[in-house]
Amino acid sequence: MERVTHALMNAVDLTDTPLDRRTLRRSVPRARHDSASAAEAVAPIVDAVESRGRAAVLEYTQRFDAVSPERLRVPADVIRAAVENLDPQLRAALEETIRRCRVVAANDRRSAATTTFTGGGTVTSRWLPVERVGLYVPGGLAVYPSTVIMNAVPAQAAGVASIAIVSPPQDTGLPHPTVLAAAALLGIDEVWAMGGAQSVAALAYGFDDGEELEPVDLITGPGNAYVAAAKAQVRSVVGIDTIAGPTEIIILADDTAAADLIAADLISQAEHDPMAAAVLVTDSQDLIDAVQQELSAQAAAAVHSERIRTALAGEQSAILKVADRSAGIAVVNAYAGEHVEVLVADPHAAAAQIISAGAVFIGAFSPVALGDYCAGSNHVLPTSGTAAHASALGVQSFLKGSQVIDYPAPALAAVADHIETLAAVEDLPAHGAAVRLRRGRQDKEV
């Protein structure tokens, strides 16, 4: 495997690389995450909020956000004013995004299913909404009203009754007004002006000193390394969606793809974060050369040029040359990317072979930017290779499954011998005795 530096992105030749999973997982580019230092940094913050509540949140808000709000919960009239003052064009875009996400979410809702056995025994698998959810909305390099939508819509579709949003305060002491407006459009009136590890801890433990924040059952939403580390620390107390890394895109392309579109899509993800990952997989050297030229030209003209160039030149980004399309698909599956674009001849056939991806975008007119906003899909996706086993945020993320067992006497009698046999093998005689005691009894309440 030969790695060379060429133009803006590193190029890696994988044409002679074995296609076994172990080799490919070592060959694809990845960022090196210093999770240990982030965990060490947030541990005292989480502990302080657990023990001292709102007072600790205020201290860390002053330290990290340089503001000292009188109250952390955003007043309802401020949330209403944010949507009333919203630019009409922006409001239309947010409302259409909400509408499309709700349509998709409505089809994603699981329903109860009952299985019936001999004698009338039944097992019903049911899905119940989590009671209370905390949604984290970042406020660092950019403003993300779309993240409010992507987290809140599936929670509402699942039937979550209580939703609290946390988002870092701006210099006004409030979250960005567009974030507040998105909450208002969704009918959410509980928004807290706090971010970082301290807000994650506050959602997990709650507080009642000065203001009252009820603890949640589940925390979802993306954030920086410190937010991720805080979520990792509190996951023994509350559920979390995932410990997400920086955003990433991987594009499978051949010589039928347009170099300018590929470059534009790589750049669109690179502008999120200097640690964002952008990867191109192709068997065409001509395409590689054309994309490198387009990247140089488009990155130089971009508003966030420095951030983009840093991300594209980082070790987490690369152009990977493969022997053929099947090898490219193997690389894409080994990478298990957050966003996967398929820009090849017969893209639907290729997409059907991609089995590890947070979201798959097919063809030249389905860019990742579409999924970030208005496709109707969710943009909270597994990163850092976790798409090999994890799922996109969706209605199911806010549901908890349980089973209801209802066996009358004839149904229990049909399996009583099996239960006693298994209980004896596992040396759990009381299990067998509990069944034996019921033998011969009528189907009535005991």
Side-chain angles (χ1 to χ4, degrees), residues 57-124:
V57 174
L58 287 169
E59 289 176 16
Y60 289 115
T61 299
Q62 171 60 45
R63 181 188 304 183
F64 299 130
D65 299 308
V67 293
S68 299
E70 292 184 8
R71 56 185 300 176
L72 291 171
R73 181 162 179 174
V74 180
D77 61 333
V78 173
I79 298 174
R80 288 194 298 269
V83 76
E84 291 167 1
N85 296 326
L86 198 59
D87 174 79
Q89 188 172 358
L90 176 55
R91 178 168 183 162
L94 291 173
E95 288 177 336
E96 179 62 13
T97 299
I98 291 170
R99 186 188 73 80
R100 288 174 179 257
C101 287
R102 280 184 170 155
V103 170
V104 173
N107 290 326
D108 198 26
R109 182 68 159 88
R110 293 185 178 182
S111 56
T114 298
T115 304
T116 303
F117 294 98
T118 302
T122 63
V123 176
T124 300

Side-chain angles (χ1 to χ4, degrees), residues 326-345:
S326 63
I329 290 172
V331 170
V332 170
N333 282 327
Y335 186 81
E338 178 187 18
H339 305 98
V340 178
E341 283 191 7
V342 183
L343 301 176
V344 298

Side-chain angles (χ1 to χ4, degrees), residues 60-335:
Y60 289 115
T61 299
Q62 171 60 45
R63 181 188 304 183
F64 299 130
D65 299 308
V67 293
S68 299
E70 292 184 8
R71 56 185 300 176
L72 291 171
R73 181 162 179 174
V74 180
D77 61 333
V78 173
I79 298 174
R80 288 194 298 269
V83 76
E84 291 167 1
N85 296 326
L86 198 59
D87 174 79
Q89 188 172 358
L90 176 55
R91 178 168 183 162
L94 291 173
E95 288 177 336
E96 179 62 13
T97 299
I98 291 170
R99 186 188 73 80
R100 288 174 179 257
C101 287
R102 280 184 170 155
V103 170
V104 173
N107 290 326
D108 198 26
R109 182 68 159 88
R110 293 185 178 182
S111 56
T114 298
T115 304
T116 303
F117 294 98
T118 302
T122 63
V123 176
T124 300
S125 297
R126 62 180 185 173
W127 298 93
L128 303 175
V130 172
E131 289 187 51
R132 179 164 165 78
V133 170
L135 309 181
Y136 187 90
V137 181
L141 295 175
V143 178
Y144 296 106
S146 59
T147 295
V148 181
I149 297 169
M150 299 295 172
N151 282 268
V153 167
Q156 291 175 329
V160 175
S162 178
I163 298 175
I165 293 175
V166 297
S167 190
Q170 311 293 300
D171 54 12
T172 61
L174 297 167
H176 194 279
T178 310
V179 169
L180 298 179
L185 290 172
L186 289 159
I188 297 173
D189 61 5
E190 186 180 351
V191 183
W192 297 81
M194 53 186 181
Q198 63 271 22
S199 71
V200 173
L203 288 172
Y205 297 108
F207 52 68
D208 60 2
D209 51 324
E211 296 177 271
E212 186 171 356
L213 171 61
E214 288 293 323
V216 303
D217 301 304
L218 173 68
I219 300 173
T220 72
N224 61 22
Y226 300 101
V227 170
K231 287 168 72 175
Q233 184 165 334
V234 302
R235 63 180 168 181
S236 62
V237 179
V238 296
I240 63 170
D241 53 348
T242 185
I243 302 173
T247 190
E248 58 198 24
I249 181 174
I250 184 167
I251 300 176
L252 176 68
D254 60 18
D255 57 10
T256 67
D260 58 339
L261 298 183
I262 292 173
D265 292 347
L266 293 171
I267 286 172
S268 73
Q269 290 307 109
E271 75 174 339
H272 275 285
D273 188 302
M275 291 300 294
V279 180
L280 169 62
V281 181
T282 183
D283 59 358
S284 171
Q285 184 61 50
D286 289 342
L287 183 64
I288 291 174
D289 295 338
V291 168
Q292 291 280 30
Q293 292 179 3
E294 285 287 344
L295 286 171
S296 296
Q298 292 186 34
V303 172
H304 303 296
S305 180
E306 182 177 354
R307 188 191 309 165
I308 290 166
R309 295 178 68 87
T310 299
L312 294 178
E315 64 180 348
Q316 74 276 12
S317 300
I319 296 178
L320 308 179
K321 186 178 181 182
V322 293
D324 52 33
R325 176 161 135 172
S326 63
I329 290 172
V331 170
V332 170
N333 282 327
Y335 186 81

Side-chain angles (χ1 to χ4, degrees), residues 1-4 12-17 23 26-28 320:
M1 181 178 69
E2 180 183 358
R3 180 183 288 266
V4 295
V12 182
D13 189 345
L14 298 181
T15 53
D16 296 324
T17 300
T23 300
R26 291 185 304 176
S27 301
V28 295
L320 308 179

